[in-house]
Amino acid sequence: MSSFFSKRDLHFNLYELLKVEQLTGYDYFKDHDRQSFDMVLDAAEQIADKMLRPLLTEMDRKEPQLVDGAIRVHEGMKVITKRFGEDGWINATFSYDEGGQQLPVTVQNAAAFIFQAANYSASVYPFLTTGAANLIRSFGSKALIECYTPFMYSGRWQGTMALTEPNAGSSLSDISTAAEPTNEEGVYKIYGQKIFISCGDHDACENIVHLLLAKIKGGPAGTKGISLFVVPKKRITENGLTNNGVTTAGVYHKMGYKGAPIAHLMFGSDETCLGYLVGEPHKGLNYMFQMMNEARVGVGMNATAIGTAAYYASLAYAKERPQGRPITAKDPTQPQTLIVHHADVKRMLLFQKSVVEGALSLLLQCGLWADLAHVTEGEAKERAELLLDLLTPVAKSYPSEMCCQTTSAAVQILGGAGYTTDFPVEQYYREARIHPIHEGTTGIHGLDLLGRKLTLHGGKALQYLMEEIKKTIAEAKQSAQSQLLDLATRLEGALERVQTVTTSLLNLAKQDKELFLADATLYLDFFGIVTIAWQWLKQAIQAQKGLMMANSEENRNFYQGKVATANYFFDYELVKIFSLALLLTSHTKGTVEMQPDWF
């Protein structure tokens, strides 16, 4: 049994909660069944156990280095990258015609979760390539697809997304990387620089393929002038691969996530860098949002996986570490008790469990919506697409922010030992911190949810979500279990708060746009807590069903743990929405009126 995730919990989510086998009723997934899904998950666990996990600490200690203009990474990544390509992980969800396996995104995301929990840094390389290849296959010409994707699928070529620049982080309208047309159609000279490019250069593969945003000279200003280009480190010629004017100016040394290199890249310093236009000019940002939205859900999964690994590390320690005695014990000569018996330690463990298992539930639900959007039509397709779009900011930001707190709790459980490199929790604590920054800061996602997603399509996405939550509440109310009835009633009250707060803020938007969005991040927190509470009510309902049929102590313990954790989340986390609701409806002007000189 792996020490960094729970196979039982993963199966509970996939087969009991989501009933992922329903997807095999659609033609695209008809060749799959429960057995094939289990084989995928078992294969992922074997690779995670045997290849990724053993390098966790070593990749953290021996971080990438810039040597003679190129980045060297851990030697083990060459074998891992090759294995991911050979086994078909990079293009597993793509069609048979493209060499894929037509695997549901839900199952692929579950496998990715296993890899990420084993060794986050190592897991990044192949799935960055998946996203980049998906952009090319979705929007690129036949020539680009045939030229690049086979090498990317095989793991021989790395894919990246190259957006950020020194003076343009989240503000992509301000990017200055330029593209100048050549005499060859679709081919441009690229000039500029990009920073913080994950896996932007390394020696574990033959070539790096950047999906890069740039502005064609003479094009529209702002985001309307952004185009998307394939810019390889080495371009293909009749004589093989040759340098393409992409220079590695530096490698960033990070507080965590050290095994994957983050590069500073220069393009066209010698005027030889060529980029190949993807799709139509000036539509690059729209294209890139496909990869960005996929990556945002992926970032949420990354954070959840790291938080999960930290939870199981601290749980194992708590069950082995004797210290102190029960509060009521008066005899100092009696043996010490294990710290897992102390109420405060159980509180910290419950906090971690409630966050990571609640977040995993939502993230796998997002995967199911992505699959249903792919294979359904009409209102079913619209519902899946809009729900996924609405909850992407939550799926990215809730686990990203909260797993900074849960990994801190893991360190706290280990006490002084947790602050040392003798145990992995200090590494998890450091690695978790990148996720509130990756793929748009939390503030950006707050603005996205409140300022854009709620009102899209006349608020239809929010309407669909309310319907889904009310359906869960109704199911719980039909149960004879008093615990479920109590949770349902409390979630119903929380839902009313969401409607009140949202209406208040949308009315404010008509009067004062700046004040309306001033606390968008807090609205995202508020909305996220209620969303995870919904997931916990779903889990509690299913766990109560499981308890009635449980035929072993192990299963009874598992389901009772689910119900207890749902109660914890409602008691300790859901109650936070009341203070947030009070703040969000007061329309306080403190942050708007504060002046820089007053700090």
Side-chain angles (χ1 to χ4, degrees):
M1 179 178 175
S2 298
S3 61
F4 48 88
F5 82 105
S6 167
K7 181 186 290 187
R8 179 69 183 86
D9 187 52
L10 207 52
H11 283 194
F12 171 77
N13 275 281
L14 291 173
Y15 301 127
E16 297 180 55
L17 202 60
L18 295 178
K19 297 177 173 55
V20 73
E21 291 160 284
Q22 66 179 284
L23 292 173
T24 62
Y26 297 95
D27 282 347
Y28 190 78
F29 301 121
K30 67 181 180 181
D31 292 339
H32 290 286
D33 54 22
R34 168 70 183 265
Q35 185 179 10
S36 69
F37 295 158
D38 282 345
M39 288 175 63
V40 168
L41 298 177
D42 289 345
E45 185 176 9
Q46 287 183 20
I47 293 173
D49 273 332
K50 295 177 181 178
M51 299 184 72
L52 274 64
R53 186 69 177 181
L55 298 182
L56 173 69
T57 303
E58 200 171 307
M59 288 181 71
D60 181 62
R61 304 291 190 269
K62 299 178 180 179
E63 57 185 305
Q65 300 292 332
L66 183 63
V67 180
D68 296 329
I71 297 176
R72 291 181 182 174
V73 297
H74 193 285
E75 186 70 20
M77 280 312 306
K78 292 179 181 178
V79 179
I80 292 171
T81 302
K82 183 180 179 183
R83 178 67 179 270
F84 271 86
E86 289 177 346
D87 287 3
W89 292 105
I90 294 171
N91 61 331
T93 60
F94 300 162
S95 70
Y96 294 139
D97 292 340
E98 301 166 278
Q101 301 168 36
Q102 297 186 186
L103 185 70
V105 169
T106 318
V107 179
Q108 174 78 336
N109 287 354
F113 166 78
I114 297 172
F115 297 135
Q116 293 153 10
N119 185 333
Y120 168 50
S121 291
S123 74
V124 166
Y125 294 71
F127 294 115
L128 273 172
T129 302
T130 299
N134 197 21
L135 271 184
I136 297 173
R137 66 185 279 270
S138 298
F139 306 111
S141 65
K142 183 180 179 181
L144 281 180
I145 294 170
E146 292 177 350
C147 185
Y148 287 93
T149 60
F151 291 104
M152 297 171 80
Y153 297 158
S154 71
R156 291 172 61 185
W157 292 4
Q158 173 74 55
T160 82
M161 54 193 299
L163 289 74
T164 307
E165 298 181 8
N167 295 315
S170 299
S171 180
L172 291 174
S173 62
D174 296 316
I175 65 170
S176 58
T177 298
E180 185 178 295
T182 66
N183 294 327
E184 188 177 350
E185 185 178 356
V187 182
Y188 293 72
K189 283 192 172 184
I190 306 296
Y191 302 93
Q193 60 179 313
K194 299 288 182 179
I195 61 172
F196 302 141
I197 308 305
S198 295
C199 299
D201 181 35
H202 63 83
D203 60 349
C205 64
E206 298 173 2
N207 198 8
I208 313 288
V209 181
H210 304 289
L211 273 293
L212 175 141
L213 294 182
K215 293 181 177 178
I216 297 173
K217 290 185 177 181
T223 57
K224 293 181 180 179
I226 294 175
S227 298
L228 179 64
F229 298 87
V230 168
V231 182
K233 178 181 179 179
K234 298 176 182 178
R235 64 176 180 266
I236 301 171
T237 69
E238 293 179 356
N239 299 317
L241 295 177
T242 187
N243 287 334
N244 189 38
V246 180
T247 305
T248 302
V251 59
Y252 294 95
H253 296 285
K254 314 180 296 294
M255 66 181 283
Y257 170 40
K258 293 186 176 185
I262 308 298
H264 180 177
L265 303 174
M266 305 294 293
F267 299 88
S269 300
D270 59 359
E271 299 195 357
T272 64
C273 183
L274 298 181
Y276 306 90
L277 183 67
V278 177
E280 298 179 35
H282 317 311
K283 292 188 177 181
L285 193 56
N286 290 335
Y287 300 151
M288 185 61 86
F289 265 117
Q290 172 182 287
M291 185 175 182
M292 289 168 68
N293 282 328
E294 291 168 357
R296 285 165 175 171
V297 174
V299 166
M301 190 65 87
N302 292 337
T304 302
I306 292 170
T308 298
Y311 164 59
Y312 282 107
S314 64
L315 176 61
Y317 185 87
K319 288 183 174 182
E320 295 172 356
R321 166 70 165 164
Q323 183 166 303
R325 292 165 184 81
I327 295 295
T328 57
K330 304 298 184 183
D331 186 355
T333 65
Q334 292 299 306
Q336 292 184 321
T337 188
L338 297 174
I339 64 172
V340 74
H341 295 302
H342 297 314
D344 193 55
V345 172
K346 287 189 278 188
R347 177 189 60 79
M348 290 186 283
L349 289 168
L350 274 165
F351 171 58
Q352 293 180 73
K353 182 178 174 69
S354 73
V355 169
V356 299
E357 292 185 8
L360 179 62
S361 178
L362 175 62
L363 287 157
L364 292 174
Q365 173 70 74
C366 286
L368 184 64
W369 284 330
D371 286 321
L372 290 173
H374 182 68
V375 297
T376 57
E377 297 178 352
E379 184 181 341
K381 181 180 181 68
E382 178 190 62
R383 177 179 286 266
E385 288 177 339
L386 291 182
L387 284 168
L388 177 58
D389 197 32
L390 174 68
L391 288 180
T392 290
V394 175
K396 187 273 181 187
S397 299
Y398 179 86
S400 294
E401 288 287 351
M402 293 304 294
C403 286
C404 289
Q405 297 182 39
T406 64
T407 52
S408 178
V411 172
Q412 189 72 12
I413 287 171
L414 271 69
Y419 200 63
T420 70
T421 57
D422 298 317
F423 293 87
V425 289
E426 65 83 25
Q427 180 178 341
Y428 296 137
Y429 182 52
R430 288 184 286 107
E431 295 197 332
R433 190 57 189 84
I434 187 58
H435 297 104
I437 300 169
H438 260 168
E439 301 307 326
T441 61
T442 304
I444 291 294
H445 289 288
L447 295 172
D448 181 41
L449 176 65
L450 181 58
R452 196 173 73 88
K453 294 291 177 63
L454 290 180
T455 56
L456 277 179
H457 304 285
K460 208 168 188 180
L462 183 59
Q463 175 191 327
Y464 282 146
L465 179 61
M466 294 298 108
E467 290 173 1
E468 292 290 324
I469 297 176
K470 288 176 181 178
K471 189 190 309 179
T472 304
I473 290 171
E475 183 181 358
K477 284 187 170 183
Q478 291 171 2
S479 169
Q481 296 288 335
S482 59
Q483 281 184 315
L484 290 182
L485 181 60
D486 175 60
L487 296 180
T489 302
R490 292 163 73 180
L491 183 56
E492 195 169 39
L495 211 57
E496 291 173 3
R497 296 276 175 147
V498 171
Q499 293 170 323
T500 300
V501 170
T502 303
T503 299
S504 175
L505 286 170
L506 292 178
N507 286 335
L508 178 64
K510 302 169 187 175
Q511 308 162 29
D512 190 331
K513 187 76 170 181
E514 184 179 13
L515 188 58
F516 161 57
L517 293 173
D519 286 320
T521 299
L522 298 185
Y523 181 83
L524 178 60
D525 293 343
F526 168 78
F527 200 91
I529 292 169
V530 176
T531 302
I532 299 300
W534 167 48
Q535 291 298 312
W536 270 114
L537 181 56
K538 289 174 62 179
Q539 292 195 58
I541 292 170
Q542 191 59 44
Q544 287 288 9
K545 293 177 183 177
L547 272 171
M548 290 188 289
M549 301 178 63
N551 55 8
S552 69
E553 185 178 1
E554 183 180 1
N555 273 335
R556 282 191 291 274
N557 287 339
F558 175 81
Y559 291 125
Q560 286 172 339
K562 283 291 183 185
V563 175
T565 309
N567 286 325
Y568 170 88
F569 191 88
F570 275 66
D571 289 341
Y572 284 76
E573 295 298 312
L574 184 60
V575 293
K576 294 176 181 177
I577 71 164
F578 298 113
S579 58
L580 286 169
L582 182 64
L583 175 62
L584 290 165
T585 53
S586 70
H587 305 157
T588 178
K589 297 182 179 181
T591 56
V592 173
E593 293 181 344
M594 183 67 182
Q595 299 299 309
D597 291 341
W598 298 352
F599 285 104

